[in-house]
Amino acid sequence: MTDASMPSATPETRHKVSLVTPDARTQKRKAAEKRFRMYGIAGIATGLIFLVVLLVTIVSSGMGAFQQTFINVPVYLDAAKLDKNGNRDIDEIKKVSTFGYTPLIQDALLQQVRDAGIETPLEKRGDMKALISASAAAQVRDTVIENPDLIGQTVDFRILASSRVDGYLKGRVLREDVARDKNIDATHLDIVDALVPLGVMQKTFNLAFITGSDASESRAESAGIGVAMIGSLFMMLVVLVLSLPIGVAASIYLEEFAPKNRITDIIEVNIANLAAVPSIVFGILGLAVFIQFMHLPQSAPLVGGLVLTLMTLPTIIISTRASLKAVPPSIRDAALGVGASKMQAVFHHVLPLAAPGILTGTIIGLAQALGETAPLLLIGMVGFIASNAPDGIASGLLDPNSAMPAQIYEWAKRADPAYYERAWGGIIILLGFLISMNTIAVILRRRFERRW
Amino acid sequence: MPVLWLSLIVIAISVAVFAFGRQRALSASGGDSRGLHSLPVYYGANALMKAIFPAFGLLILWSLAQPLIIQNSISGMIPESALAEDANIGLVMSEVRRTADGLDYAIDGGFIDEATAENPNADVVGITQTLRDAGQIVTSEITQPILRAAQAYREMSTTMSLLMTFAVLIVALAGGGWGAMQSSRDFRARNVVEQGVLAILIAAASVAILTTIGIILSLVFNTVEFFRLYPAADFFTLLEWAPSFSGRGGASSLGILPLLWGTIYISIVALLVAVPIGLFAAIYLSEYATARVRGIAKPLLEILAGIPTIVYGLFALLTIGPLLMSVFGEDGTGWMGGGRSVMTAGIAMGIMLIPFVSSLSDDIINAVPQSLRDGSYGLGATRSETIKQVVLPAALPGIVGAILLAASRAIGETMIVVLGAGAAARLSLNPFEAMTTVTAKIVSQLTGDSDFASPEALVAFALGISLFVLTLGLNVFALYIVRKYREQYE
């Protein structure tokens, strides 16, 4: 910057300056040194800030999904409406659809509002619709069908509130927004404000989010990630069962038996390149080979597992080879020296010693596969409502299901703040799995790692 | 599930011949295993191997070949007249398959009986209705030829499955029996078994090659099919991406250039975020940081790499997008029309790539020999001067390689752009505009589609092959640079 000062700093003037007081040029260099160091710290700090912002966003946006607003309401199960002939015949009761139950629930809630003495312009039973989840009627109906003797009695129910009410209590839906909302208006929110202190409306822990199944687009309040979790579990089973043996066998061959020739070279280059192929390309492969050519069922966890297996194989092979390489040759030599065959030396001595490393690599590979979304989109694990939990191993593998990341994507696509909250909540659960898997891997490594 | 049962039976046979082969060897040496060439277990394993491998091999090959054979003989059955309107044998065949599956399902559910399902002169309207009632998706009315073909399909697959069961069982028994009969005092069972195990190991290693071949074949075949329906020159040169939704391909313009531009633009933004941050972080970690700071900061940064991309996608869509909108949107400078844009996706992707750049560069900077630094210090250079004028130039090829690897990651990234970049293909320079990428379009053209007959679906394979070639080229080039650089200092 101050090049002009350079010529003036002639040798004669320079050695008059004491070494203790640095001259302009030294000061400049020192400042540059400090600046450069700051850039480095800034780089790391920015990275860490991004990490913190990301985690804070996830937790603060997603915690809401673990809480849900419920309404405690005594519903009078009117025999005249639910069982017109009065003979408690289960088939006749089943004929009454959820439309028959909705007015009963709305009446019950309206009664509650009146009993509480809340002043409100809403006096019709239909006005209560905005407060109650669309799935409440199904819940009451299921209870009645399970236990027809309840008809004619007043039964206490704990039903879901609608997603707008839930959002209002969680601060997601604001009074200003409600003016433009056709589903709910401010008078409803007045009722909510009055009912909450009475304990009629309650926000409690929402187990159904963790165990439940997906719901249709308009019923965000009853959607859960449980079924998708089972889908992910089956996929991970397929990945584990296939990729661990194949990966270990391939690594043993390449590391211990393969002659140094062209074919081995080709395989090695191949594996290195497969590790860098974009995951979506594996999705295309799965679509073309498993679905188009082999006619395996679409959206099945089996197909998802196969695709993810091919994707994780390179990761597992690379880490397995590293841990095989870490076993010192003296072990092999000793085994060979007492008369073991090469195969016996590898399987009886080298492999057990490399096992912790292999396991760690496998867990990390599985964690990667668990979070992968793109290939699942192509084999059809999105775009439908994963509502039924599988009832066996075969149906778990072959029936259409979703997977956790695919379910999160599905919710993100639905463009409803209530579903966004579920998506963040799903991410918390997904990250919970990933963190525990990685922690297990780290502990295994610490506990069993041997250095020779 | 007959295949499952068949596999279980084969496994049971193998276990039986294992015991038998082992026993035979032991009794051949009078119950003393020391008289045998190999340990008794190897004689059993020899029999087991000979029972299980040929049987399962046959099972797999047969299951792969059966649909092809049936398909070929059935498609000959469908008269030309049935093709008049659809003009596509693939569509008709999938209808036949659906009908056959539907019939199976309806019989299982008790909606129709076996006799009706096999009656070639059955009332087609009635059957269509029955299948609908059974909850099967029947796209249109089943016609007489399709029903006949479906019936023939069912009959053939039943016969062939039966044949397969017998063939597999015979092979298992014959192989296992032969293996067990080989057990004798002087039979070198261990050598044979080890040969077999080696064959398995080689087969496992070649899965990687098969995967690559599978990727290339599935991409190439469908791309050739696409170029038959749509001119290749248009695909590579048209400046417009506008697929028609009719599925007939008449008015679609499917040019890859706007998608490629979106991909590259977003990757550039991502690299502009990731490279400075990652590089400075790497320099600090490798040159300045104490072991303690390094031990904490490095794993923390690497957490960013372990977070699934769907999380970054959601972060882009719901956090970065609204944030950018509040600054550059209508309330701010007015450059941005919606939350989805090149910037939105690029920033999220950049965050994802930071640890990628920093880890790789860290390794590379660490590989620069200490003697170079010592020489520079000896001449009186400060630390930052040494880094800027000695270490970085020495590490430059490796760092370029690392950046290229990061670029290839960015180009192949899918979820972030699907959620954050938008769906409109545009050739524009404004980074606040929504654009789309090759990967996002692959997803949108293929999601939920199982019939690949229209150019609109097949174009995804052409996009896929372009993506594959692009990322592979970048990777090979980057790895070449990195390796060459490593050799320089080893």
Side-chain angles (χ1 to χ4, degrees), chain A residues 29 33 270 276 292 341 344, chain B residues 42 194 212 288 380 384-385 452:
Chain A
R29 288 176 68 197
E33 172 74 31
N270 219 308
Q292 196 185 10
S341 70
Q344 286 169 330
Chain B
Y42 282 106
E194 287 187 352
T212 312
Y288 288 102
S384 63
E385 285 161 353
F452 312 112

Side-chain angles (χ1 to χ4, degrees), chain A residues 251-329:
Chain A
S251 321
I252 290 178
Y253 176 71
L254 292 175
E255 200 58 44
E256 306 282 342
F257 294 100
K260 283 267 162 280
N261 61 17
R262 264 196 99 82
I263 297 173
T264 314
D265 269 358
I266 291 175
I267 296 181
E268 290 192 8
V269 170
N270 219 308
I271 290 171
N273 282 327
L274 269 186
V277 168
S279 58
I280 184 103
V281 173
F282 284 98
I284 297 181
L285 169 77
L287 181 68
V289 173
F290 297 130
I291 292 176
Q292 196 185 10
F293 180 68
M294 287 166 136
H295 295 299
L296 290 175
Q298 253 197 341
S299 320
L302 175 67
V303 180
L306 286 172
V307 173
L308 293 179
T309 300
L310 295 182
M311 230 188 67
T312 22
L313 259 184
T315 319
I316 291 185
I317 291 179
I318 289 168
S319 70
T320 305
R321 289 190 66 180
S323 35
L324 287 175
K325 207 177 267 172
V327 177

Side-chain angles (χ1 to χ4, degrees), chain A residues 50, chain B residues 260-278 316 320 324 328 336 340-354 357 403 406-407 409-411 413 416-417 420-421 428-435 437:
Chain A
F50 279 139
Chain B
L260 221 46
W261 169 242
T263 307
I264 292 171
Y265 203 179
I266 291 175
S267 306
I268 289 174
V269 172
L271 289 180
L272 284 180
V273 174
V275 170
I277 297 177
I320 300 179
L324 288 176
F328 302 105
M336 215 168 160
R340 297 175 177 212
S341 70
V342 171
M343 283 301 263
T344 316
I347 292 174
M349 207 187 274
I351 299 174
M352 183 189 81
L353 291 177
I354 290 173
V357 175
I403 293 172
R409 262 290 183 81
I411 289 172
E413 176 46 49
I416 297 178
V417 291
S428 153
L429 277 175
N430 181 359
F432 295 102
E433 221 168 319
M435 282 184 210
T437 68

Side-chain angles (χ1 to χ4, degrees), chain B residues 85-409:
Chain B
E85 265 176 68
D86 292 284
N88 187 330
I89 190 80
L91 281 177
V92 178
M93 277 313 294
S94 63
E95 188 132 334
V96 168
R97 220 167 21 243
R98 258 202 307 273
T99 312
D101 290 347
L103 285 174
D104 281 338
Y105 182 85
I107 291 170
D108 285 347
F111 292 95
I112 46 175
D113 52 27
E114 192 75 33
T116 326
E118 281 170 7
N119 178 8
N121 297 318
D123 166 29
V124 278
V125 182
I127 289 205
T128 311
Q129 196 50 48
T130 321
L131 292 190
R132 285 225 177 95
D133 293 343
Q136 290 296 296
I137 306 137
V138 181
T139 42
S140 55
E141 293 291 316
I142 301 171
T143 55
Q144 200 71 36
I146 287 189
L147 180 64
R148 294 238 172 98
Q151 285 162 342
Y153 182 96
R154 287 191 61 223
E155 199 179 323
M156 268 190 89
S157 54
T158 322
T159 329
M160 290 193 69
S161 300
L162 201 67
L163 268 181
M164 177 180 78
T165 312
F166 281 121
V168 167
L169 287 182
I170 288 170
V171 167
L173 282 173
W178 174 49
M181 284 306 157
Q182 281 181 319
S183 297
S184 66
R185 275 176 64 106
D186 299 324
F187 179 59
R188 305 187 167 203
R190 197 198 70 206
N191 305 29
V192 176
V193 170
E194 287 187 352
Q195 284 298 318
V197 173
L198 192 64
I200 301 176
L201 297 186
I202 293 175
S206 51
V207 167
I209 289 202
L210 285 181
T211 311
T212 312
I213 294 175
I215 289 177
I216 293 173
L217 284 187
S218 58
L219 286 174
V220 167
F221 270 121
N222 286 299
T223 307
V224 168
E225 186 71 17
F226 168 67
F227 285 145
R228 209 173 284 155
L229 296 171
Y230 191 87
D234 283 5
F235 175 70
F236 287 113
T237 55
L238 268 191
L239 295 178
E240 194 192 16
W241 173 271
S244 80
F245 291 98
S246 67
R248 286 274 166 265
S252 290
S253 355
L254 304 168
I256 193 178
L257 290 178
L259 307 184
L260 221 46
W261 169 242
T263 307
I264 292 171
Y265 203 179
I266 291 175
S267 306
I268 289 174
V269 172
L271 289 180
L272 284 180
V273 174
V275 170
I277 297 177
L279 203 53
F280 275 119
I283 290 171
Y284 187 84
L285 284 178
S286 58
E287 299 287 324
Y288 288 102
T290 57
R292 247 184 74 120
V293 173
R294 194 182 151 83
I296 296 170
K298 203 173 148 104
L300 276 181
L301 273 184
E302 275 164 10
I303 291 179
L304 282 174
I307 293 176
T309 52
I310 176 83
V311 181
Y312 287 105
L314 207 61
F315 187 65
L317 177 68
L318 299 180
T319 311
I320 300 179
L323 202 71
L324 288 176
M325 271 301 272
S326 65
V327 181
F328 302 105
E330 281 153 15
D331 304 336
T333 56
W335 295 339
M336 215 168 160
R340 297 175 177 212
S341 70
V342 171
M343 283 301 263
T344 316
I347 292 174
M349 207 187 274
I351 299 174
M352 183 189 81
L353 291 177
I354 290 173
F356 203 73
V357 175
S358 75
S359 295
L360 275 172
S361 316
D362 187 29
D363 290 347
I364 287 158
I365 291 172
N366 272 330
V368 174
Q370 186 62 27
S371 58
L372 291 187
R373 292 188 189 86
D374 293 344
S376 172
Y377 294 146
L379 289 172
T382 64
R383 259 184 169 179
S384 63
E385 285 161 353
T386 307
I387 293 166
K388 278 187 278 193
Q389 287 162 19
V390 178
V391 177
L392 284 186
L396 195 64
I399 291 175
V400 171
I403 293 172
L404 287 182
L405 282 180
S408 127
R409 262 290 183 81

Side-chain angles (χ1 to χ4, degrees), chain A residues 377-388:
Chain A
L377 304 186
L378 292 194
I379 56 162
M381 295 191 91
V382 288
F384 64 98
I385 295 167
S387 51
N388 296 318

